[in-house]
């Protein structure tokens, strides 16, 4: 059904653009430099060096922000609305609204907003943010959506029920249910939302587009001035602007349909892993993590993304109360409720991290092990020597030495630290047992637990009282006691065992989780890896975004 773009959308957008245009004209007439450039110059142009950024978000009309490796915001724009002047302190996730404000999540999950007419977000823990025109929404760890700010079209009246992801346009918001169906509220209602499953949503000024599981795109609602969808075909990511629609093909190439300021869109060559659109410009993440922006700049610096930064979030590990990630520049970031793991995460560069119940360990770039957190049983003591991997259990830790031998330390109440002799290719610590994959691909386990099944494996993951291993052709075998001991049929590329559940990534990138709890209902989408914790799990999807579900710590 054809609809008209709400006048409030047009009026607010025109107001923002008019304010920018008037300010630019005054600056030009007086021969002055932009005030933001004098006080807060835009980030460096290509060829400079500086901090790595691990997450990026664009604002609707006036720039973008990213997070450096210390989880500090770094923004670029003309700064008319102070969006380029974020608050001090660490932020772990960042979004932009209509160009007049931005919001971010603190490491402990609370939200903070800044910019023109910024508003106070609700208290409590949030896991995801999405920003519209004068309002924003977030997801609680339970999946319940909460919204705040202006509400003239009901855009802050979030629906009941669990959502796995959010997107917001000027006066509306949409989310995906656990089954992949979409729901919208505000100026775009659910009655206009098409049926069927989606893996990703992206919103423009007056319409929203969804990526289907088969890679095709559906956009709604239909009206005369709606932005065009991306060109026909299949995509792995999409981005919708004011007068254009773009997407990333399965081969990584970006393509666009529509115009920007009545001009054809010149899409850069090469491959991308993620696209993010503002009103009249786009930014794309390269496989290297560098971000490149293009489109209309009109003196606002919004297409001048820091050329010295990368925006790729690396490996993720989930434990009892925290989750830690390795960024593209090998720095470590831990989030969750305040704890010895989150509060004492070390500086430096790392290759891999593993989170236990109340401690964590990471492998440095020099192949030494650095542990922190609860050390009541010696599980956070740093061993000597060089290692190729480290794995944290409830109260013990094991590592694979460069020699191929396994070394364990910490609690040995069940024999979980009595590593057998011989050569191994990997090791995985569970709650009170440990398993290792020998050089001949057979499995050895020690500590509490049943006998190991015969045969060879390609990888394994130890949970609480059970272990899962992946055989040739991607078949799973799980053994032990507890809800996670069963295994699904099918072919998989990764598996992770948690406390009372396990999750696996299929060859098609889709998640399968089994056991107990809400964690067994994973989000819709395609993933490259997954890590199970105690009642929750986190995975990195094919756009490089970390997504968590279940009883996420802090709920």
């Amino acid at each position: 059904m054809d609809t008209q773009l709400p006048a409030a959308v047009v009026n607010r957008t025109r107001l923002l653009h008019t304010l920018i245009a008037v300010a630019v004209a005054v600056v030009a007439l007086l021969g002055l430099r932009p005030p933001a450039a004098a006080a807060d110059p835009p980030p460096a142009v290509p060829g400079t060096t500086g901090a790595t950024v691990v997450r990026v978000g664009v604002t609707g009309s006036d720039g973008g922000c990213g997070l450096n490796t210390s989880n500090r915001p770094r923004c670029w724009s003309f700064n008319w609305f102070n969006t380029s002047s974020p608050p001090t302190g660490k932020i772990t996730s960042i979004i932009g609204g209509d160009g007049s404000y931005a919001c971010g999540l603190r490491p402990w999950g609370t939200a903070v907003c800044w910019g023109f007419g910024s508003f106070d977000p609700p208290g409590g823990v949030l896991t995801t943010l999405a920003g519209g025109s004068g309002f924003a929404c977030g997801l609680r760890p339970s999946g319940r959506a909460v919204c705040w700010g202006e509400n003239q079209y009901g855009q802050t009246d979030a629906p009941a029920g669990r959502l796995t992801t959010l997107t917001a346009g000027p006066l509306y918001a949409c989310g995906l249910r656990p089954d992949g169906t979409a729901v919208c509220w505000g100026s775009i209602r659910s009655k206009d939302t098409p049926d069927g499953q989606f893996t990703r949503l992206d919103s423009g000024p007056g319409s929203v587009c969804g990526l289907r599981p088969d890679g095709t795109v559906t956009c709604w609602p239909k009206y005369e001035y709606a932005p065009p969808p991306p060109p026909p075909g299949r995509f792995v990511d999409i981005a919708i602007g004011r007068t254009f629609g773009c997407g990333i093909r399965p081969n990584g190439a970006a393509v666009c349909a529509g115009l920007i300021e009545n001009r054809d869109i010149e899409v850069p060559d090469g491959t991308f892993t993620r696209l993010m659109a503002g009103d009249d410009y786009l930014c794309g993440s390269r496989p290297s993590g560098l971000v490149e922006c293009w489109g209309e700049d009109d003196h606002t610096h919004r297409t001048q993304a820091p050329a010295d930064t990368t925006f790729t979030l690396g490996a993720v590990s989930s434990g009892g109360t925290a989750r830690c990630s390795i960024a593209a520049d090998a720095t470590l970031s831990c989030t969750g409720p305040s704890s010895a793991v989150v509060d004492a995460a070390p500086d430096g560069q790392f290759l891999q991290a593993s989170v236990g119940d109340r401690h964590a360990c990471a492998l440095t770039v020099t192949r030494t092990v650095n542990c922190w957190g609860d050390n009541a049983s010696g599980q956070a003591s740093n061993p000597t020597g060089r290692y190729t991997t480290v794995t944290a259990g409830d109260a013990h830790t094991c590592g694979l030495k460069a020699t191929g031998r396994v070394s364990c330390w910490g609690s040995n109440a069940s024999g979980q630290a009595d590593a057998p002799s011989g050569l191994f290719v990997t090791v995985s610590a569970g709650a009170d047992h440990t398993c290792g994959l020998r050089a001949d691909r057979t499995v050895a386990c020690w500590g509490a637990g049943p006998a190991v099944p015969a045969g060879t494996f390609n990888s394994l993951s130890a949970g609480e009282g059970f272990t899962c291993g992946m055989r040739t052709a991607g078949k799973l075998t799980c053994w032990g006691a507890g809800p996670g001991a069963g295994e699904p049929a099918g072919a998989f590329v990764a598996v992770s065992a948690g406390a009372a559940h396990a999750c696996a990534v299929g060859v098609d990138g889709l998640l399968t989780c089994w056991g107990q709890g809400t964690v067994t209902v994973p989000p819709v989408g395609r993933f490259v890896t997954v890590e199970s914790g105690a009642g929750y799990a986190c995975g990195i999807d094919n756009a490089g975004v970390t997504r968590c579900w279940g009883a996420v710590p802090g709920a």
Side-chain angles (χ1 to χ4, degrees):
M1 180 177 69
D2 289 348
T3 59
Q4 294 295 320
L5 190 64
V9 178
V10 178
N11 292 338
R12 185 177 177 96
T13 302
R14 285 176 177 171
L15 173 61
L16 292 174
H17 289 176
T18 300
L19 288 173
I20 294 173
V22 170
V24 171
V26 171
V27 168
L29 286 172
L30 297 179
L32 301 174
R33 292 176 60 84
D40 187 14
V45 295
T48 62
T49 58
T52 299
V53 176
V54 298
R55 187 68 61 83
V56 64
V58 300
T59 61
S61 61
D62 192 32
C65 292
L67 301 177
N68 66 21
T69 55
S70 298
N71 281 335
R72 262 74 177 187
R74 183 178 184 185
C75 300
W76 62 97
S77 75
F78 209 24
N79 206 28
W80 296 118
F81 306 106
N82 279 332
T83 53
S84 289
S85 303
T88 59
K90 292 186 176 183
I91 288 177
T92 59
S93 179
I94 195 165
I95 57 100
D98 58 6
S100 64
Y101 76 95
C103 296
L105 290 180
R106 297 296 192 186
W108 45 91
T110 58
V112 59
C113 298
W114 63 96
F116 174 76
S118 61
F119 32 81
D120 292 332
V125 175
L126 298 172
T127 62
T128 301
L129 293 175
S133 182
F135 82 102
C137 296
L139 287 183
R140 297 292 191 193
S142 63
R144 181 173 64 89
V146 293
C147 300
W148 61 97
E150 298 177 8
N151 194 37
Q152 61 269 52
Y153 283 88
Q155 61 267 41
T156 63
D157 295 333
R162 181 169 174 251
L163 299 176
T164 61
T165 188
L166 286 175
T167 187
L171 296 174
Y172 71 91
C174 298
L176 290 181
R177 299 290 191 190
D179 62 0
T181 56
V183 58
C184 296
W185 60 98
S187 63
I188 295 179
R189 299 289 184 175
S190 288
K191 65 182 179 62
D192 300 317
T193 303
D195 296 331
Q197 286 188 322
F198 296 91
T199 61
R200 174 171 163 74
L201 300 177
D202 195 68
S203 54
S207 65
V208 60
C209 293
L211 192 64
R212 299 284 192 182
D214 64 357
T216 58
V217 177
T218 300
C219 299
W220 69 94
K222 304 296 184 182
Y223 63 95
E224 183 179 358
Y225 299 105
R234 299 181 186 275
F235 297 89
V236 297
D237 193 32
I238 54 174
I240 310 301
R242 185 159 59 95
T243 56
F244 62 88
C246 299
I248 299 176
R249 299 288 193 193
N251 64 0
V255 295
C256 293
L259 304 172
I260 292 181
E261 295 296 320
N262 295 318
R263 294 190 296 269
D264 291 334
I265 303 173
E266 297 181 5
V267 181
D269 295 331
T271 59
F272 293 88
T273 60
R274 182 86 188 274
L275 288 180
M276 298 145 285
D279 281 358
D280 300 312
Y281 73 106
L282 296 98
C283 293
S285 296
R286 297 287 192 181
S288 64
L290 293 176
V291 167
E292 185 171 352
C293 299
W294 62 96
E296 180 66 17
D297 193 75
D298 63 17
H299 309 291
T300 63
H301 306 301
R302 60 188 170 192
T303 62
Q304 295 182 19
D308 57 322
T309 61
T310 60
F311 292 75
T312 300
L313 191 65
V316 62
S317 177
S318 303
T321 61
R323 50 201 179 276
C324 295
S325 299
I326 305 294
D329 70 339
T331 55
L332 179 74
S333 174
C334 296
T335 59
S338 179
S339 67
V341 173
V342 174
D343 300 341
D347 296 326
Q349 291 184 306
F350 301 90
L351 300 173
Q352 178 246 330
S354 182
V355 182
D357 186 23
R358 293 184 296 274
H359 80 290
C361 295
L363 187 67
T364 71
V365 292
T366 60
R367 301 288 181 177
T368 59
V369 173
N370 188 344
C371 298
W372 67 99
D374 180 29
N375 197 34
S377 299
Q379 67 268 39
S381 299
N382 293 330
T384 59
R386 297 185 183 276
Y387 289 76
T388 61
T389 190
V390 64
T391 176
D394 269 9
H396 78 289
T397 308
C398 295
L400 183 65
K401 293 186 174 182
T403 60
R405 310 285 180 177
V406 172
S407 175
C408 298
W409 56 98
S411 173
N412 196 35
S414 300
Q416 64 266 44
D418 287 336
S421 59
L423 298 180
F424 290 80
V425 295
T426 191
V427 62
S428 178
D432 54 4
H433 78 288
T434 310
C435 293
L437 191 62
R438 293 190 181 274
D440 63 359
R441 297 291 175 175
T442 59
V443 173
C445 294
W446 52 100
V452 177
T456 59
F457 293 80
N458 291 330
S459 65
L460 56 84
S461 178
E464 186 170 339
F466 74 101
T467 304
C468 291
M470 187 179 302
R471 298 186 184 271
T472 57
K475 181 182 178 182
L476 293 180
T477 299
C478 298
W479 63 96
E487 71 271 347
F492 300 88
V493 296
V495 63
S496 179
H501 78 279
C503 292
V505 180
V507 293
D508 55 0
L510 300 180
L511 289 171
T512 299
C513 296
W514 62 99
Q516 287 182 346
T518 59
V519 67
T520 58
V521 184
V524 176
R526 299 183 188 277
F527 288 73
V528 296
T529 188
V530 66
E531 179 74 11
S532 294
Y536 77 104
C538 295
I540 300 177
D541 67 21
N542 60 1
V545 177
T546 299
R547 299 166 65 183
C548 299
W549 61 97
V552 180

